[in-house]
């Protein structure tokens, strides 16, 4: 799997974990699903950074999103 896909997938999963955690805390439930999603997103992000020899800088993240979107649409 391409490192761009891993990075974008990890960032999206981690981003979706935030509203899940807020929802769980507001309803006085333990945020188990949010914790699992955040851990999975973190693992994917670390795998993407380790798989790419030069790593990713924060300025390269929008370009990675664009490359993944272009591959999905093409």
């Amino acid at each position: 799997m391409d490192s761009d896909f891993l990075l974008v997938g990890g960032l999206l999963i981690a981003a979706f974990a935030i509203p899940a955690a807020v929802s769980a805390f507001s309803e006085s439930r333990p945020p188990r699903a949010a914790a699992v999603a955040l851990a999975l997103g973190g693992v994917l992000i670390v795998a993407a950074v380790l798989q790419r020899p030069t790593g990713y800088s924060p300025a390269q993240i929008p370009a990675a999103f664009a490359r993944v979107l272009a591959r999905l649409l093409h």
Side-chain angles (χ1 to χ4, degrees):
M1 185 174 275
D2 190 23
S3 62
D4 287 344
F5 280 111
L6 291 173
L7 178 70
V8 170
L11 288 172
L12 289 176
I13 291 172
F16 285 130
I18 295 169
V22 171
S23 173
F25 281 123
S26 70
E27 295 174 1
S28 298
R29 295 183 289 118
R32 290 185 187 107
V36 169
L38 190 60
L40 178 63
V43 166
L44 288 174
I45 292 168
V46 168
V49 170
L50 292 177
Q51 190 176 14
R52 187 174 171 142
T54 59
Y56 284 98
S57 69
Q60 293 173 326
I61 293 173
F65 269 94
R67 285 190 298 268
V68 168
L69 186 61
R71 285 188 209 159
L72 291 175
L73 294 178
H74 188 255

